[in-house]
């Protein structure tokens, strides 16, 4: 009986100890489960390869030239006002310069006198040459006649050059259009004093507006995708729903170190005359991006001193923090230029306490997919 009592007591004690051990193991497993953070993950999506960015731009005439005077005088007349369409070489205005006209008449008279002197010198040289052959004059007299003839010819050439110079100055009295375009400014009137010294005053301005240039500054993140010949279009707040087609004509090929932008010139057909140089526009650049950009929700980002990061979950269910480069901000979503692939699992709404190497449990995965955990005794 004593042995049976001892065996029964031992069995009861063994059962109690076994139950206590099971409770401790369960508590340990429950504690471990609670210690592992549960997270929700998503995969990034692919954006469109054809991407449109909108940049501010100012319209400029294809060619624009201020017209100044090259001679002094008074404005005699003008024949074109602002808005007038002109052809290359068309007269815009006429300057009256009586002093230049008088100098030209004087130079013309001096030229005629020099030509007369040359004729006399030529005749004298011919006579001296004939007399020298008959040994009537000395060699010295003949050389003197030849020298006088050469000097007379040089005087004629100098007088001709002076006349030509004054004719050119007289031609400057005609203010002409350097190319086909429109007169955009007229800053003078009949009787106004015209001075060519110290740069003078801008009298007219002519602009070619059948083609317009638009300069935009593309951020560095998109610089590689801008190519000559790429499509673009302009939109204006005052013309809702209207689009004006354009083409990327020239690229600077160098980033501005102060702004990290690429200067790009877009040309727009304006033969209709609807657009005006100097206007502000929204420039829509159509970029083809290969490969297509990666798009993520904005609530995936972690902002720390190290920069923009996202928390990804590895195959071992541990956290790996990745630095990412952000492109365009669409408000609720962001464009990631570098640092992610489409197969990455990214933690949504990551807490600030999440650190590199933390073990996490992805919500919705089965127990076999969760990381192995140690069990206590």
């Amino acid at each position: 009986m004593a042995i049976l009592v001892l065996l029964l007591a031992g069995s009861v004690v063994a059962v109690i100890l076994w139950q206590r051990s099971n409770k401790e193991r369960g508590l340990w497993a429950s504690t471990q489960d609670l210690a592992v953070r549960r997270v929700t993950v998503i995969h990034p999506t692919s954006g469109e390869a054809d991407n449109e960015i909108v940049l501010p731009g100012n319209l400029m005439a294809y060619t624009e030239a201020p017209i100044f005077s090259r001679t002094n005088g008074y404005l005699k007349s003008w024949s074109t006002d602002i808005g007038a369409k002109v052809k290359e070489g068309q007269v815009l205005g006429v300057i009256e310069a009586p002093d230049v006209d008088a100098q030209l008449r004087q130079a013309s008279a001096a030229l005629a006198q020099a030509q007369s002197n040359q004729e006399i010198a030529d005749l004298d040289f011919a006579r001296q040459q004939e007399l020298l052959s008959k040994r009537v004059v000395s060699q010295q007299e003949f050389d003197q006649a030849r020298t006088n003839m050469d000097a007379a010819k040089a005087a004629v050439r100098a007088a001709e050059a002076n006349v030509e110079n004054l004719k050119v100055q007289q031609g400057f009295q005609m203010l002409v259009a350097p190319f086909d375009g429109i007169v955009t400014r007229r800053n003078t009137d009949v009787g106004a004093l015209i001075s060519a010294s110290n740069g003078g005053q801008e009298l007219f301005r002519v602009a070619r507006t059948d083609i317009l240039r638009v300069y935009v500054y593309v951020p560095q993140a998109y610089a590689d995708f801008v190519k000559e010949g790429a499509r673009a279009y302009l939109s204006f707040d005052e013309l809702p729903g209207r689009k004006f087609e354009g083409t990327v004509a020239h690229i600077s090929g160098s980033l501005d170190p102060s702004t990290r932008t690429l200067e790009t010139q877009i040309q727009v057909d304006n033969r209709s005359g609807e657009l005006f140089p100097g206007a502000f526009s929204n420039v829509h650049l159509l970029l083809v991006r290969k490969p297509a950009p990666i798009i993520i929700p904005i609530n995936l980002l972690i902002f720390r001193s190290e920069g923009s990061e996202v928390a990804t979950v590895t195959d071992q269910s541990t956290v790996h923090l990745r630095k990412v480069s952000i492109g365009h901000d669409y408000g609720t979503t962001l464009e990631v230029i570098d640092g992610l692939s489409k197969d990455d699992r990214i933690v949504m709404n990551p807490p600030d306490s999440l650190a590199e190497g933390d073990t996490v449990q992805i919500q919705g995965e089965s127990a076999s997919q969760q990381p192995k955990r140690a069990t206590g005794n």
Side-chain angles (χ1 to χ4, degrees), residues 208-241:
R208 179 186 173 186
T209 59
D210 58 333
I211 300 176
L212 296 181
R213 304 175 191 261
V214 186
Y215 289 92
V216 296
Y217 298 89
V218 181
Q220 180 178 344
Y222 302 99
D224 290 339
F225 307 106
V226 180
K227 307 296 181 184
E228 290 187 4
R231 294 175 53 232
Y233 69 88
L234 309 184
S235 64
F236 299 84
D237 295 338
E238 63 272 21
L239 298 173

Side-chain angles (χ1 to χ4, degrees), residues 194-370:
I194 307 299
S195 175
S197 61
N198 299 324
Q201 175 190 358
E202 178 183 335
L203 305 178
F204 296 89
R205 183 176 288 264
V206 179
R208 179 186 173 186
T209 59
D210 58 333
I211 300 176
L212 296 181
R213 304 175 191 261
V214 186
Y215 289 92
V216 296
Y217 298 89
V218 181
Q220 180 178 344
Y222 302 99
D224 290 339
F225 307 106
V226 180
K227 307 296 181 184
E228 290 187 4
R231 294 175 53 232
Y233 69 88
L234 309 184
S235 64
F236 299 84
D237 295 338
E238 63 272 21
L239 298 173
R242 297 288 304 277
K243 294 182 179 181
F244 298 87
E245 296 292 332
T247 305
V248 175
H250 301 287
I251 301 171
S252 66
S254 172
L255 293 178
D256 185 338
S258 60
T259 61
R260 308 300 179 191
T261 55
L262 178 71
E263 185 178 14
T264 303
Q265 181 195 127
I266 298 170
Q267 294 185 6
V268 181
D269 188 348
N270 189 42
R271 284 175 290 184
S272 64
E274 294 182 85
L275 304 179
F276 298 99
F280 173 82
S281 68
N282 297 309
V283 181
H284 302 253
L285 273 178
L286 306 177
L287 308 178
V288 179
R289 310 184 63 180
K290 295 180 181 179
I294 291 177
I295 305 297
I296 62 172
I298 195 170
N299 60 350
L300 271 58
L301 274 187
I302 302 174
F303 297 100
R304 293 178 178 170
S305 59
E306 294 82 2
S308 300
E309 295 179 330
V310 295
T312 61
V313 179
T314 66
D315 293 338
Q316 291 74 36
S317 295
T318 58
V319 172
H320 176 48
L321 299 179
R322 290 191 178 183
K323 293 184 178 181
V324 293
S325 299
I326 304 301
H328 194 77
D329 186 345
Y330 297 103
T332 58
T333 59
L334 296 170
E335 183 182 87
V336 177
I337 300 173
D338 185 38
L340 285 178
S341 68
K342 293 186 294 183
D343 298 327
D344 288 328
R345 297 181 296 178
I346 309 175
V347 178
M348 293 188 65
N349 300 312
D352 293 337
S353 58
L354 199 63
E356 177 74 22
D358 285 355
T359 301
V360 294
Q361 177 180 330
I362 298 175
Q363 293 185 1
E365 286 190 347
S366 61
S368 61
Q369 295 175 300
Q370 303 304 325

Side-chain angles (χ1 to χ4, degrees), residues 182-194:
I182 295 177
V183 177
T184 59
R185 290 184 188 176
R186 179 179 64 83
N187 299 324
T188 187
D189 210 337
V190 174
L193 176 64
I194 307 299

